[in-house]
Amino acid sequence: MTRVRFGRRAFGIVVLSLLAAGQLSAVSPSYILFYGNQLAAPVVLRLTAQANSEFLWSYSRPFTVVDGVRTRSIPGGLDGRPYLKYAVFWGRWAAAPTGPEGASQHGRFYLPTPTQPAAVVVTAADMEAPPPAEHPAASPIPTSLSGFWGGWMLTAADIALARTLGVPGLQADFDIRLR
């Protein structure tokens, strides 16, 4: 009898693990589309499970601690800086997106300058797709900095990942000064 109980428990654990793994893989972006006046044409990046793109949409970064309270923040000094718009497409998509309108998360990638590091700002993402949808519903595209949820400066490691992913506007020989 104990073997039967052990077998049922083991089977249950395996089933729960598989279900959890399916849920985890569903909570990742499939595509990131870069677009805007800085680009001649949109650039679509297909993301895989191995592609580390969290520096573009992470929810752990845009916080500062003020008087012991964790508060969302957007870096200062972004007004007037050149940026690329980007759209994050969460869930499974049958085809690559051709425009940003269908994305459930939006951002701006502020290009590095000789005196300022690269930075990003993002909207909150809706990562939950109601059944039977494959992906979440579209979110509106902000028209000003006040429409974004949070933002952060990028590190040298973030820039290296951005180059690896193929983020446009980052020449390998560009002198980047990071804070």
PDB file of all heavy atoms in Angstrom, residues 2-31:
ATOM      1  N   THR A   2       1.970   1.234   0.670  1.00  0.00           N
ATOM      2  CA  THR A   2       2.801   2.431   0.704  1.00  0.00           C
ATOM      3  C   THR A   2       3.396   2.730  -0.666  1.00  0.00           C
ATOM      4  O   THR A   2       3.582   3.881  -1.013  1.00  0.00           O
ATOM      5  CB  THR A   2       3.939   2.297   1.739  1.00  0.00           C
ATOM      6  OG1 THR A   2       4.705   1.149   1.436  1.00  0.00           O
ATOM      7  CG2 THR A   2       3.383   2.226   3.144  1.00  0.00           C
ATOM      8  N   ARG A   3       3.677   1.664  -1.446  1.00  0.00           N
ATOM      9  CA  ARG A   3       4.180   1.884  -2.802  1.00  0.00           C
ATOM     10  C   ARG A   3       3.127   2.556  -3.666  1.00  0.00           C
ATOM     11  O   ARG A   3       3.441   3.408  -4.486  1.00  0.00           O
ATOM     12  CB  ARG A   3       4.600   0.574  -3.445  1.00  0.00           C
ATOM     13  CG  ARG A   3       5.893   0.059  -2.930  1.00  0.00           C
ATOM     14  CD  ARG A   3       6.321  -1.150  -3.708  1.00  0.00           C
ATOM     15  NE  ARG A   3       7.601  -1.610  -3.217  1.00  0.00           N
ATOM     16  CZ  ARG A   3       8.180  -2.705  -3.616  1.00  0.00           C
ATOM     17  NH1 ARG A   3       7.588  -3.461  -4.519  1.00  0.00           N
ATOM     18  NH2 ARG A   3       9.346  -3.054  -3.125  1.00  0.00           N
ATOM     19  N   VAL A   4       1.886   2.194  -3.488  1.00  0.00           N
ATOM     20  CA  VAL A   4       0.802   2.801  -4.250  1.00  0.00           C
ATOM     21  C   VAL A   4       0.682   4.275  -3.887  1.00  0.00           C
ATOM     22  O   VAL A   4       0.569   5.140  -4.759  1.00  0.00           O
ATOM     23  CB  VAL A   4      -0.537   2.062  -4.011  1.00  0.00           C
ATOM     24  CG1 VAL A   4      -1.693   2.821  -4.636  1.00  0.00           C
ATOM     25  CG2 VAL A   4      -0.457   0.641  -4.557  1.00  0.00           C
ATOM     26  N   ARG A   5       0.719   4.597  -2.592  1.00  0.00           N
ATOM     27  CA  ARG A   5       0.638   5.997  -2.164  1.00  0.00           C
ATOM     28  C   ARG A   5       1.824   6.790  -2.697  1.00  0.00           C
ATOM     29  O   ARG A   5       1.683   7.897  -3.176  1.00  0.00           O
ATOM     30  CB  ARG A   5       0.614   6.088  -0.641  1.00  0.00           C
ATOM     31  CG  ARG A   5      -0.705   5.769  -0.059  1.00  0.00           C
ATOM     32  CD  ARG A   5      -0.665   6.050   1.413  1.00  0.00           C
ATOM     33  NE  ARG A   5      -1.821   5.477   2.053  1.00  0.00           N
ATOM     34  CZ  ARG A   5      -1.913   5.207   3.321  1.00  0.00           C
ATOM     35  NH1 ARG A   5      -0.888   5.453   4.120  1.00  0.00           N
ATOM     36  NH2 ARG A   5      -3.000   4.685   3.829  1.00  0.00           N
ATOM     37  N   PHE A   6       3.028   6.199  -2.581  1.00  0.00           N
ATOM     38  CA  PHE A   6       4.217   6.876  -3.072  1.00  0.00           C
ATOM     39  C   PHE A   6       4.111   7.116  -4.579  1.00  0.00           C
ATOM     40  O   PHE A   6       4.444   8.189  -5.069  1.00  0.00           O
ATOM     41  CB  PHE A   6       5.469   6.047  -2.751  1.00  0.00           C
ATOM     42  CG  PHE A   6       6.722   6.655  -3.289  1.00  0.00           C
ATOM     43  CD1 PHE A   6       7.314   7.739  -2.655  1.00  0.00           C
ATOM     44  CD2 PHE A   6       7.310   6.166  -4.447  1.00  0.00           C
ATOM     45  CE1 PHE A   6       8.452   8.320  -3.157  1.00  0.00           C
ATOM     46  CE2 PHE A   6       8.449   6.742  -4.954  1.00  0.00           C
ATOM     47  CZ  PHE A   6       9.033   7.814  -4.322  1.00  0.00           C
ATOM     48  N   GLY A   7       3.653   6.112  -5.306  1.00  0.00           N
ATOM     49  CA  GLY A   7       3.495   6.241  -6.756  1.00  0.00           C
ATOM     50  C   GLY A   7       2.509   7.330  -7.130  1.00  0.00           C
ATOM     51  O   GLY A   7       2.743   8.113  -8.053  1.00  0.00           O
ATOM     52  N   ARG A   8       1.388   7.408  -6.409  1.00  0.00           N
ATOM     53  CA  ARG A   8       0.399   8.456  -6.683  1.00  0.00           C
ATOM     54  C   ARG A   8       0.967   9.838  -6.380  1.00  0.00           C
ATOM     55  O   ARG A   8       0.753  10.786  -7.126  1.00  0.00           O
ATOM     56  CB  ARG A   8      -0.866   8.220  -5.869  1.00  0.00           C
ATOM     57  CG  ARG A   8      -1.690   7.079  -6.386  1.00  0.00           C
ATOM     58  CD  ARG A   8      -2.935   6.915  -5.574  1.00  0.00           C
ATOM     59  NE  ARG A   8      -3.715   5.787  -6.052  1.00  0.00           N
ATOM     60  CZ  ARG A   8      -4.690   5.226  -5.397  1.00  0.00           C
ATOM     61  NH1 ARG A   8      -5.041   5.684  -4.202  1.00  0.00           N
ATOM     62  NH2 ARG A   8      -5.352   4.219  -5.903  1.00  0.00           N
ATOM     63  N   ARG A   9       1.669   9.944  -5.271  1.00  0.00           N
ATOM     64  CA  ARG A   9       2.269  11.242  -4.910  1.00  0.00           C
ATOM     65  C   ARG A   9       3.314  11.658  -5.947  1.00  0.00           C
ATOM     66  O   ARG A   9       3.363  12.804  -6.358  1.00  0.00           O
ATOM     67  CB  ARG A   9       2.892  11.178  -3.523  1.00  0.00           C
ATOM     68  CG  ARG A   9       1.867  11.193  -2.433  1.00  0.00           C
ATOM     69  CD  ARG A   9       2.511  11.229  -1.087  1.00  0.00           C
ATOM     70  NE  ARG A   9       1.475  11.150  -0.053  1.00  0.00           N
ATOM     71  CZ  ARG A   9       1.708  10.830   1.187  1.00  0.00           C
ATOM     72  NH1 ARG A   9       2.932  10.571   1.590  1.00  0.00           N
ATOM     73  NH2 ARG A   9       0.727  10.776   2.052  1.00  0.00           N
ATOM     74  N   ALA A  10       4.145  10.709  -6.330  1.00  0.00           N
ATOM     75  CA  ALA A  10       5.175  11.015  -7.333  1.00  0.00           C
ATOM     76  C   ALA A  10       4.520  11.437  -8.651  1.00  0.00           C
ATOM     77  O   ALA A  10       4.946  12.403  -9.288  1.00  0.00           O
ATOM     78  CB  ALA A  10       6.081   9.803  -7.550  1.00  0.00           C
ATOM     79  N   PHE A  11       3.475  10.712  -9.053  1.00  0.00           N
ATOM     80  CA  PHE A  11       2.752  11.068 -10.277  1.00  0.00           C
ATOM     81  C   PHE A  11       2.158  12.469 -10.155  1.00  0.00           C
ATOM     82  O   PHE A  11       2.244  13.280 -11.071  1.00  0.00           O
ATOM     83  CB  PHE A  11       1.651  10.038 -10.558  1.00  0.00           C
ATOM     84  CG  PHE A  11       0.843  10.358 -11.778  1.00  0.00           C
ATOM     85  CD1 PHE A  11       1.355  10.148 -13.051  1.00  0.00           C
ATOM     86  CD2 PHE A  11      -0.432  10.895 -11.655  1.00  0.00           C
ATOM     87  CE1 PHE A  11       0.619  10.453 -14.176  1.00  0.00           C
ATOM     88  CE2 PHE A  11      -1.177  11.201 -12.771  1.00  0.00           C
ATOM     89  CZ  PHE A  11      -0.659  10.984 -14.037  1.00  0.00           C
ATOM     90  N   GLY A  12       1.573  12.784  -9.016  1.00  0.00           N
ATOM     91  CA  GLY A  12       0.990  14.110  -8.791  1.00  0.00           C
ATOM     92  C   GLY A  12       2.035  15.209  -8.869  1.00  0.00           C
ATOM     93  O   GLY A  12       1.819  16.269  -9.454  1.00  0.00           O
ATOM     94  N   ILE A  13       3.192  14.958  -8.283  1.00  0.00           N
ATOM     95  CA  ILE A  13       4.277  15.954  -8.320  1.00  0.00           C
ATOM     96  C   ILE A  13       4.748  16.176  -9.749  1.00  0.00           C
ATOM     97  O   ILE A  13       4.976  17.306 -10.174  1.00  0.00           O
ATOM     98  CB  ILE A  13       5.436  15.513  -7.391  1.00  0.00           C
ATOM     99  CG1 ILE A  13       4.981  15.631  -5.927  1.00  0.00           C
ATOM    100  CG2 ILE A  13       6.687  16.345  -7.644  1.00  0.00           C
ATOM    101  CD1 ILE A  13       5.946  15.013  -4.934  1.00  0.00           C
ATOM    102  N   VAL A  14       4.880  15.102 -10.512  1.00  0.00           N
ATOM    103  CA  VAL A  14       5.307  15.228 -11.911  1.00  0.00           C
ATOM    104  C   VAL A  14       4.287  16.029 -12.706  1.00  0.00           C
ATOM    105  O   VAL A  14       4.643  16.943 -13.460  1.00  0.00           O
ATOM    106  CB  VAL A  14       5.535  13.832 -12.543  1.00  0.00           C
ATOM    107  CG1 VAL A  14       5.701  13.928 -14.043  1.00  0.00           C
ATOM    108  CG2 VAL A  14       6.749  13.165 -11.917  1.00  0.00           C
ATOM    109  N   VAL A  15       3.008  15.735 -12.531  1.00  0.00           N
ATOM    110  CA  VAL A  15       1.952  16.460 -13.255  1.00  0.00           C
ATOM    111  C   VAL A  15       1.955  17.936 -12.878  1.00  0.00           C
ATOM    112  O   VAL A  15       1.909  18.816 -13.754  1.00  0.00           O
ATOM    113  CB  VAL A  15       0.561  15.825 -12.998  1.00  0.00           C
ATOM    114  CG1 VAL A  15      -0.556  16.721 -13.516  1.00  0.00           C
ATOM    115  CG2 VAL A  15       0.482  14.450 -13.640  1.00  0.00           C
ATOM    116  N   LEU A  16       2.048  18.244 -11.590  1.00  0.00           N
ATOM    117  CA  LEU A  16       2.090  19.641 -11.153  1.00  0.00           C
ATOM    118  C   LEU A  16       3.321  20.362 -11.693  1.00  0.00           C
ATOM    119  O   LEU A  16       3.249  21.520 -12.091  1.00  0.00           O
ATOM    120  CB  LEU A  16       2.033  19.729  -9.632  1.00  0.00           C
ATOM    121  CG  LEU A  16       0.686  19.388  -8.998  1.00  0.00           C
ATOM    122  CD1 LEU A  16       0.813  19.389  -7.476  1.00  0.00           C
ATOM    123  CD2 LEU A  16      -0.382  20.364  -9.452  1.00  0.00           C
ATOM    124  N   SER A  17       4.455  19.677 -11.718  1.00  0.00           N
ATOM    125  CA  SER A  17       5.687  20.276 -12.255  1.00  0.00           C
ATOM    126  C   SER A  17       5.533  20.606 -13.728  1.00  0.00           C
ATOM    127  O   SER A  17       5.940  21.678 -14.184  1.00  0.00           O
ATOM    128  CB  SER A  17       6.869  19.340 -12.061  1.00  0.00           C
ATOM    129  OG  SER A  17       7.106  19.125 -10.698  1.00  0.00           O
ATOM    130  N   LEU A  18       4.948  19.700 -14.485  1.00  0.00           N
ATOM    131  CA  LEU A  18       4.735  19.948 -15.914  1.00  0.00           C
ATOM    132  C   LEU A  18       3.772  21.109 -16.138  1.00  0.00           C
ATOM    133  O   LEU A  18       3.981  21.938 -17.025  1.00  0.00           O
ATOM    134  CB  LEU A  18       4.223  18.685 -16.608  1.00  0.00           C
ATOM    135  CG  LEU A  18       5.236  17.558 -16.748  1.00  0.00           C
ATOM    136  CD1 LEU A  18       4.566  16.299 -17.291  1.00  0.00           C
ATOM    137  CD2 LEU A  18       6.392  17.978 -17.622  1.00  0.00           C
ATOM    138  N   LEU A  19       2.716  21.174 -15.341  1.00  0.00           N
ATOM    139  CA  LEU A  19       1.779  22.284 -15.456  1.00  0.00           C
ATOM    140  C   LEU A  19       2.451  23.608 -15.115  1.00  0.00           C
ATOM    141  O   LEU A  19       2.267  24.613 -15.797  1.00  0.00           O
ATOM    142  CB  LEU A  19       0.560  22.064 -14.565  1.00  0.00           C
ATOM    143  CG  LEU A  19      -0.408  20.976 -15.011  1.00  0.00           C
ATOM    144  CD1 LEU A  19      -1.464  20.740 -13.938  1.00  0.00           C
ATOM    145  CD2 LEU A  19      -1.058  21.346 -16.330  1.00  0.00           C
ATOM    146  N   ALA A  20       3.248  23.605 -14.066  1.00  0.00           N
ATOM    147  CA  ALA A  20       3.956  24.833 -13.679  1.00  0.00           C
ATOM    148  C   ALA A  20       4.938  25.249 -14.758  1.00  0.00           C
ATOM    149  O   ALA A  20       5.059  26.420 -15.084  1.00  0.00           O
ATOM    150  CB  ALA A  20       4.677  24.627 -12.349  1.00  0.00           C
ATOM    151  N   ALA A  21       5.648  24.311 -15.355  1.00  0.00           N
ATOM    152  CA  ALA A  21       6.599  24.635 -16.419  1.00  0.00           C
ATOM    153  C   ALA A  21       5.879  25.222 -17.621  1.00  0.00           C
ATOM    154  O   ALA A  21       6.349  26.163 -18.247  1.00  0.00           O
ATOM    155  CB  ALA A  21       7.380  23.392 -16.833  1.00  0.00           C
ATOM    156  N   GLY A  22       4.707  24.702 -17.948  1.00  0.00           N
ATOM    157  CA  GLY A  22       3.912  25.249 -19.048  1.00  0.00           C
ATOM    158  C   GLY A  22       3.477  26.671 -18.766  1.00  0.00           C
ATOM    159  O   GLY A  22       3.515  27.542 -19.625  1.00  0.00           O
ATOM    160  N   GLN A  23       3.108  26.937 -17.519  1.00  0.00           N
ATOM    161  CA  GLN A  23       2.709  28.290 -17.142  1.00  0.00           C
ATOM    162  C   GLN A  23       3.891  29.245 -17.223  1.00  0.00           C
ATOM    163  O   GLN A  23       3.769  30.354 -17.672  1.00  0.00           O
ATOM    164  CB  GLN A  23       2.131  28.298 -15.723  1.00  0.00           C
ATOM    165  CG  GLN A  23       0.800  27.614 -15.596  1.00  0.00           C
ATOM    166  CD  GLN A  23      -0.300  28.365 -16.328  1.00  0.00           C
ATOM    167  OE1 GLN A  23      -0.209  29.550 -16.571  1.00  0.00           O
ATOM    168  NE2 GLN A  23      -1.333  27.641 -16.715  1.00  0.00           N
ATOM    169  N   LEU A  24       5.072  28.801 -16.765  1.00  0.00           N
ATOM    170  CA  LEU A  24       6.242  29.665 -16.789  1.00  0.00           C
ATOM    171  C   LEU A  24       6.634  30.026 -18.212  1.00  0.00           C
ATOM    172  O   LEU A  24       6.985  31.158 -18.499  1.00  0.00           O
ATOM    173  CB  LEU A  24       7.415  28.994 -16.073  1.00  0.00           C
ATOM    174  CG  LEU A  24       7.278  28.862 -14.565  1.00  0.00           C
ATOM    175  CD1 LEU A  24       8.459  28.070 -14.017  1.00  0.00           C
ATOM    176  CD2 LEU A  24       7.176  30.212 -13.895  1.00  0.00           C
ATOM    177  N   SER A  25       6.575  29.062 -19.122  1.00  0.00           N
ATOM    178  CA  SER A  25       6.963  29.364 -20.487  1.00  0.00           C
ATOM    179  C   SER A  25       5.948  30.276 -21.163  1.00  0.00           C
ATOM    180  O   SER A  25       6.284  30.995 -22.076  1.00  0.00           O
ATOM    181  CB  SER A  25       7.132  28.073 -21.291  1.00  0.00           C
ATOM    182  OG  SER A  25       5.880  27.434 -21.450  1.00  0.00           O
ATOM    183  N   ALA A  26       4.723  30.284 -20.694  1.00  0.00           N
ATOM    184  CA  ALA A  26       3.705  31.139 -21.281  1.00  0.00           C
ATOM    185  C   ALA A  26       3.847  32.583 -20.815  1.00  0.00           C
ATOM    186  O   ALA A  26       3.268  33.476 -21.394  1.00  0.00           O
ATOM    187  CB  ALA A  26       2.316  30.615 -20.927  1.00  0.00           C
ATOM    188  N   VAL A  27       4.634  32.820 -19.776  1.00  0.00           N
ATOM    189  CA  VAL A  27       4.758  34.147 -19.218  1.00  0.00           C
ATOM    190  C   VAL A  27       6.058  34.798 -19.689  1.00  0.00           C
ATOM    191  O   VAL A  27       6.766  35.410 -18.930  1.00  0.00           O
ATOM    192  CB  VAL A  27       4.700  34.093 -17.677  1.00  0.00           C
ATOM    193  CG1 VAL A  27       4.729  35.479 -17.085  1.00  0.00           C
ATOM    194  CG2 VAL A  27       3.464  33.365 -17.204  1.00  0.00           C
ATOM    195  N   SER A  28       6.359  34.667 -20.946  1.00  0.00           N
ATOM    196  CA  SER A  28       7.546  35.313 -21.489  1.00  0.00           C
ATOM    197  C   SER A  28       7.177  36.013 -22.791  1.00  0.00           C
ATOM    198  O   SER A  28       6.226  35.630 -23.453  1.00  0.00           O
ATOM    199  CB  SER A  28       8.657  34.289 -21.717  1.00  0.00           C
ATOM    200  OG  SER A  28       8.247  33.342 -22.666  1.00  0.00           O
ATOM    201  N   PRO A  29       7.946  37.037 -23.140  1.00  0.00           N
ATOM    202  CA  PRO A  29       7.665  37.708 -24.404  1.00  0.00           C
ATOM    203  C   PRO A  29       8.133  36.867 -25.591  1.00  0.00           C
ATOM    204  O   PRO A  29       9.136  36.164 -25.499  1.00  0.00           O
ATOM    205  CB  PRO A  29       8.440  39.016 -24.309  1.00  0.00           C
ATOM    206  CG  PRO A  29       9.386  38.877 -23.183  1.00  0.00           C
ATOM    207  CD  PRO A  29       8.959  37.715 -22.356  1.00  0.00           C
ATOM    208  N   SER A  30       7.392  36.937 -26.683  1.00  0.00           N
ATOM    209  CA  SER A  30       7.751  36.227 -27.908  1.00  0.00           C
ATOM    210  C   SER A  30       8.500  37.127 -28.881  1.00  0.00           C
ATOM    211  O   SER A  30       9.399  36.675 -29.579  1.00  0.00           O
ATOM    212  CB  SER A  30       6.494  35.707 -28.611  1.00  0.00           C
ATOM    213  OG  SER A  30       5.878  34.732 -27.839  1.00  0.00           O
ATOM    214  N   TYR A  31       8.098  38.380 -28.942  1.00  0.00           N
ATOM    215  CA  TYR A  31       8.709  39.331 -29.873  1.00  0.00           C
ATOM    216  C   TYR A  31       8.884  40.679 -29.200  1.00  0.00           C
ATOM    217  O   TYR A  31       8.101  41.057 -28.323  1.00  0.00           O
ATOM    218  CB  TYR A  31       7.798  39.555 -31.089  1.00  0.00           C
ATOM    219  CG  TYR A  31       7.635  38.363 -31.983  1.00  0.00           C
ATOM    220  CD1 TYR A  31       6.536  37.525 -31.846  1.00  0.00           C
ATOM    221  CD2 TYR A  31       8.566  38.086 -32.975  1.00  0.00           C
ATOM    222  CE1 TYR A  31       6.373  36.430 -32.674  1.00  0.00           C
ATOM    223  CE2 TYR A  31       8.411  36.991 -33.810  1.00  0.00           C
ATOM    224  CZ  TYR A  31       7.310  36.177 -33.661  1.00  0.00           C
ATOM    225  OH  TYR A  31       7.153  35.095 -34.478  1.00  0.00           O
TER     226      TYR A  31
END
